[in-house]
């Protein structure tokens, strides 16, 4: 079905966050598509999965080598996006991966660096101590320096990308929540508070609200509330020269310098994030006790930080049980593409996922084969689909299982 008399394919994108904004941009570039984007807030708002001012951009894959073509394509599209928007969306600071040398994630990243053809440098414990004096380093730790890694500006990326799309003719319905997506004859009906419209295809990219719109996915996707916390150093010099880092093992965490270098934003792993039964009822202001969950980072990783954060904020993210993205056609509704479950790593690859989503919606297949996502084994189980409670996830674990 095409828009009567125009020959255009009418496509709706539901959710204009990290992924939906990129799908919108890709579709807006196609002369054969009339694209509408629906966003319950505004593009670039800070309350979903794309808030918090920074995201790590890493070139080396820590989990599954099959992601590497996606990362390489994303890098090319990031460059295109930065030229087209004339904005610096990624800051080229370099990124340090560190942790126990035997950690599977670090080992996979080393192999990924070798395959990538991109510059990289492996650091022995003594070099780590000299080059990154803020970090407490044990004799079994190593570092992998990714000089072409950096820090993404997530909210700016979303708003600038949607701006590009509207410049190309995309129609954006902001402050418009989609309440249902269902079949309507040959097409797909999208209902919002403003009424219903029918499209030829719909791309759903709702992040933390996926299971609100599609409760049938509660056995596959869970939503978590993530807390980020910003810390000052004990003195003004401590964070000088600090680089963004991700520590894989023995306990997972990451840090991104912020505030002109005076603070660092710290993040934890999956098991330290709260399950979310209803994203609209989430406590947005973290309780002061939540700061305690970061104490081990001050004790074990960055001992020159003040013990208490100066700021904490919460965000929402969707996870699949395999921690591999859910990308594909809706099992129940023909014409609907689902893009969800980016499991804490979706921003760096968002331009490539946007292209894949746009290709699936228009052509029914994508240039990059994402079949590997479906074959990935689970790393946790969903214990209670209603509350989103899961078993322990050992892949990105900031703490051991509770006994
Ligand atoms: C704290 C934190 C740190 C992270 N760190 C990194 C990192 O360092 N590197 C990295 O690559 N990734 C990182 N990620 C992951 C990355 O940010 C997410 O994977 C990505 O934002 C997910 O994109 P999304 O489009 O699925 O969801 P979102 O970005 O949350 O977008 C979903 C959008 O849909 C809208 N929406 C929802 N329901 C509806 C509806 N019914 N109708 C209309 N609009 C709707 C929402 O308002 C929102 O704007 C991190 C995530 C978090 C939360």
């Amino acid at each position: 079905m095409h828009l009567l008399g125009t020959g255009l394919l009418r496509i709706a994108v539901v959710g204009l966050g990290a992924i939906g904004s990129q799908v919108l941009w890709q579709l807006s570039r196609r002369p054969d598509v009339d694209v509408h984007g629906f966003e319950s807030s505004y593009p670039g708002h800070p309350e979903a999965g794309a808030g918090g001012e920074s995201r790590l951009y890493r070139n080396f894959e820590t989990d599954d080598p099959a992601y590497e073509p996606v990362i390489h394509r994303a890098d090319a599209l990031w460059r295109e996006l930065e030229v087209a928007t004339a904005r610096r969306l990624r800051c080229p600071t370099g990124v340090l991966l560190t942790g126990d040398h035997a950690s599977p994630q670090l080992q996979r990243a080393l192999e990924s660096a070798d395959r990538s053809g991109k510059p990289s440098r492996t650091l022995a414990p003594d070099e780590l101590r000299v080059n990154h004096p803020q970090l407490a380093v044990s004799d079994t730790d190593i570092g992998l320096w990714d000089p072409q890694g950096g820090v993404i500006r997530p909210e700016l990326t979303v708003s600038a990308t949607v701006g590009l799309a509207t410049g190309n003719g995309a129609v954006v319905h902001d402050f418009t929540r989609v309440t249902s997506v269902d079949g309507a004859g040959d097409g797909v009906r999208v209902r919002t508070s403003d009424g219903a419209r029918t499209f030829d295809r719909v791309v759903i990219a709702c992040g933390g609200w996926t299971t609100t719109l599609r409760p049938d996915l509660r056995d596959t996707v869970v939503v978590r509330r993530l807390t980020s916390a910003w810390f000052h150093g004990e003195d003004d010099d401590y964070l000088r020269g600090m680089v963004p880092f991700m520590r894989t093992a023995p306990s997972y965490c990451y840090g991104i310098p912020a505030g002109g270098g005076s603070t660092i934003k710290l993040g934890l792993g999956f098991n330290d994030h709260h399950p979310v039964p209803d994203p609209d009822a989430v406590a947005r202001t973290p309780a002061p006790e939540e700061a305690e969950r970061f104490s081990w980072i001050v004790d074990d990783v960055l001992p020159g930080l003040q013990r208490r954060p100066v700021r904490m904020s919460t965000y929402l993210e969707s996870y699949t049980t395999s921690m591999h993205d859910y990308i594909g056609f809706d099992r129940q509704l023909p014409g609907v593409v689902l893009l969800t479950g980016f499991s804490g790593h979706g921003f760096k690859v968002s331009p490539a996922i946007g292209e894949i989503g746009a290709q699936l919606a228009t052509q029914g297949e994508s240039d990059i084969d994402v079949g590997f996502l479906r074959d990935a084994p689970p790393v946790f189980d969903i214990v209670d689909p209603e509350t989103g409670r899961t078993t322990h996830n050992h892949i990105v674990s900031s703490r051991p299982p509770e006994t």
Side-chain angles (χ1 to χ4, degrees), residues 14-20 38-41 45 48-50 55-56 176-178 205-209 213 226 228 254 315-317 339 342 344-348:
V14 181
L16 298 180
I19 304 298
F38 295 87
E39 169 53 56
S40 51
S41 181
H45 75 92
R55 292 287 180 274
L56 291 177
T176 307
R177 178 179 285 223
V178 170
C206 287
W209 284 262
L213 191 62
L226 282 63
S228 301
Y254 65 88
Y315 309 96
L316 297 173
E317 171 69 317
L339 305 173
F342 293 97
H345 56 230
F347 221 107
K348 62 180 175 299

Side-chain angles (χ1 to χ4, degrees), residues 63-302:
D63 293 315
D64 187 340
Y67 268 115
E68 286 169 9
V70 183
I71 296 172
H72 296 157
R73 182 60 189 147
D75 190 25
L77 285 167
W78 274 109
R79 290 170 207 273
E80 216 177 308
L81 199 54
E82 288 185 302
V83 170
T85 57
R87 300 300 301 253
R88 180 180 276 194
L89 305 174
R90 290 183 302 180
C91 303
T93 54
V95 169
L96 179 72
L97 278 179
T98 184
D100 189 285
H101 73 286
S103 133
Q105 286 192 308
L106 210 43
Q107 288 300 323
R108 281 192 289 264
L110 288 165
E111 290 162 15
S112 175
D114 279 348
R115 280 189 297 267
S116 73
K118 294 196 181 237
S120 67
R121 183 155 174 241
T122 308
L123 301 166
D126 285 346
E127 292 172 291
L128 262 179
R129 289 184 188 108
V130 171
N131 291 5
H132 305 287
Q134 299 87 358
L135 292 169
V137 174
S138 86
D139 288 342
T140 53
D141 285 345
I142 57 164
L144 173 60
W145 177 239
D146 173 0
Q148 293 183 0
V151 179
I152 297 164
R153 294 171 163 162
E155 299 93 338
L156 179 65
T157 299
V158 172
S159 60
T161 304
V162 171
L164 271 188
T166 50
N168 292 343
V171 179
V172 170
H173 306 265
D174 55 6
F175 299 103
T176 307
R177 178 179 285 223
V178 170
T179 51
S180 70
V181 175
D182 49 39
D186 294 351
V188 187
R189 186 169 42 227
V190 170
R191 283 185 203 280
T192 71
S193 41
D194 287 344
R197 292 164 190 260
T198 301
F199 293 88
D200 301 311
R201 311 272 155 77
V202 173
V203 179
I204 297 180
C206 287
W209 284 262
T210 304
T211 50
T212 307
L213 191 62
R214 294 295 308 271
D216 57 299
L217 290 175
R218 279 179 184 262
D219 59 353
T220 314
V221 175
V222 287
V223 179
R224 294 246 152 170
R225 166 188 178 273
L226 282 63
T227 302
S228 301
W230 284 252
F231 289 76
H232 277 297
E234 285 284 10
D235 62 54
D236 284 346
D237 289 335
Y238 179 61
L239 288 173
R240 186 163 299 145
M242 181 77 210
V243 297
F245 75 95
M246 182 176 125
R247 184 187 195 244
T248 59
S251 299
Y252 172 91
C253 67
Y254 65 88
I256 308 179
S262 73
T263 60
I264 186 166
K265 180 178 87 167
L266 300 182
L268 298 162
F270 179 90
N271 303 303
D272 268 306
H273 305 316
H274 292 308
V276 173
D278 176 1
D280 293 314
V282 156
R284 281 291 173 177
T285 308
E289 308 84 81
E290 292 194 50
E292 291 308 315
R293 284 182 291 152
F294 294 85
S295 305
W296 72 268
I297 304 181
V298 179
D299 292 338
D300 299 350
V301 185
L302 290 167

